[in-house]
Amino acid sequence: MKTIGLIGGMSWESTIPYYRIINEKVKETLGGLHSARIILYSVEFAEIEECQATGQWDKSAGILGDAAKKLEAAGADFIVICTNTMHKVADQIQAGISVPVIHIADATADKLEAANIRRVALLGTKYTMTQDFYKSRLIARGFDVLIPDEKDVEIVNNVIYKELCLGKIREDSRAEFSRIIAALKEKGAEAVILGCTEIGLLVQQESSALRIFDTTEIHAVRAAELALKD
């Protein structure tokens, strides 16, 4: 079994599901007392969030790149960045190490293709929804990507940073996300990507008018599958 290197803590609330899902997948596959080989580097999220808010992406790339190097040195066979937004600097992180970074958007695109979905809504931080680093990867695979209007982008972003990253689950916010997803369905979306690793803490299939693709689960399962692959 290969060793998985996780860069977590962005936020730690969504890193916990990564650890659980990976180990559940390994146990499901191998049975008995089997569990995954995981090395976790958990960053100080306030430092990363400040870099995001002030546009210091190169600084954040340096922080995460250093984490990736330490994971590689500790024996990780590949790296999983436990967040969607910080895949903005995935190429910079990859350039500093010799083991592969498993890109969350690629894993998600594979699942969408398998489901024969081409027109998809994307929810995430305002950086993920409005910038090209994530959407362009999906568009290059032939997907039509829809995002909420400007007002709803801010609502989604605020719920992520002011509630979900702090472990707060509010029913009124769940209702807002349901409304936003329904509006995206009206625009023609066939499914919705939960493109922030915290959103799955709030939105489940029963509260969504669209089929959901939870990137946390998709990414974690992909990590487990790669670890188990000969």
Side-chain angles (χ1 to χ4, degrees), residues 41-77:
Y41 189 108
S42 189
V43 302
E44 214 285 70
F45 187 40
E47 186 177 18
I48 299 297
E49 191 280 329
E50 182 180 3
C51 289
Q52 294 174 349
T54 56
Q56 298 183 79
W57 296 102
D58 286 343
K59 181 179 178 181
S60 66
I63 295 167
L64 299 188
D66 181 63
K69 290 174 184 176
K70 288 176 179 176
L71 289 169
E72 181 179 26
D77 293 299

Side-chain angles (χ1 to χ4, degrees), residues 200-229:
L201 302 172
L202 179 69
V203 177
Q204 288 80 44
Q205 188 59 67
E206 58 268 21
S207 63
S208 173
L210 290 170
R211 179 178 175 182
I212 65 172
F213 285 76
D214 185 345
T215 54
T216 299
E217 181 175 0
I218 292 168
H219 205 202
V221 169
R222 173 62 59 86
E225 290 171 345
L226 289 172
L228 292 164
K229 191 175 181 179

Side-chain angles (χ1 to χ4, degrees), residues 120-149:
V120 64
L122 174 63
L123 300 182
T125 66
K126 63 183 179 182
Y127 312 108
T128 301
M129 289 187 285
T130 63
Q131 297 182 16
D132 288 337
F133 69 91
Y134 196 96
K135 290 186 295 183
S136 63
R137 208 160 181 117
L138 296 174
I139 292 167
R141 294 278 295 268
F143 296 100
D144 186 8
V145 182
L146 306 178
I147 64 169
D149 62 29

Side-chain angles (χ1 to χ4, degrees), residues 26-93:
V26 169
K27 182 180 179 181
E28 174 189 316
T29 303
L30 299 180
L33 297 175
H34 287 285
S35 59
R37 293 192 176 102
I38 297 173
I39 307 169
L40 169 63
Y41 189 108
S42 189
V43 302
E44 214 285 70
F45 187 40
E47 186 177 18
I48 299 297
E49 191 280 329
E50 182 180 3
C51 289
Q52 294 174 349
T54 56
Q56 298 183 79
W57 296 102
D58 286 343
K59 181 179 178 181
S60 66
I63 295 167
L64 299 188
D66 181 63
K69 290 174 184 176
K70 288 176 179 176
L71 289 169
E72 181 179 26
D77 293 299
F78 58 88
I79 303 299
V80 173
I81 308 167
C82 302
T83 170
N84 286 269
T85 300
M86 294 315 299
H87 278 75
K88 180 177 173 71
V89 297
D91 290 345
Q92 291 163 268
I93 295 169

Side-chain angles (χ1 to χ4, degrees), residues 110-181:
D110 289 342
K111 285 291 185 181
L112 291 166
E113 284 184 347
N116 198 31
I117 289 167
R118 307 312 306 179
R119 190 171 173 84
V120 64
L122 174 63
L123 300 182
T125 66
K126 63 183 179 182
Y127 312 108
T128 301
M129 289 187 285
T130 63
Q131 297 182 16
D132 288 337
F133 69 91
Y134 196 96
K135 290 186 295 183
S136 63
R137 208 160 181 117
L138 296 174
I139 292 167
R141 294 278 295 268
F143 296 100
D144 186 8
V145 182
L146 306 178
I147 64 169
D149 62 29
E150 186 175 350
K151 179 182 176 182
D152 285 344
V153 163
E154 289 301 321
I155 290 173
V156 171
N157 191 71
N158 286 336
V159 170
I160 291 168
Y161 283 105
K162 295 180 180 180
E163 297 175 23
L164 300 180
C165 288
L166 299 174
K168 298 177 182 178
I169 307 298
R170 294 168 53 106
E171 288 303 317
D172 57 342
S173 294
R174 197 191 312 273
E176 280 288 82
F177 271 62
S178 295
R179 176 188 62 77
I180 292 167
I181 291 169

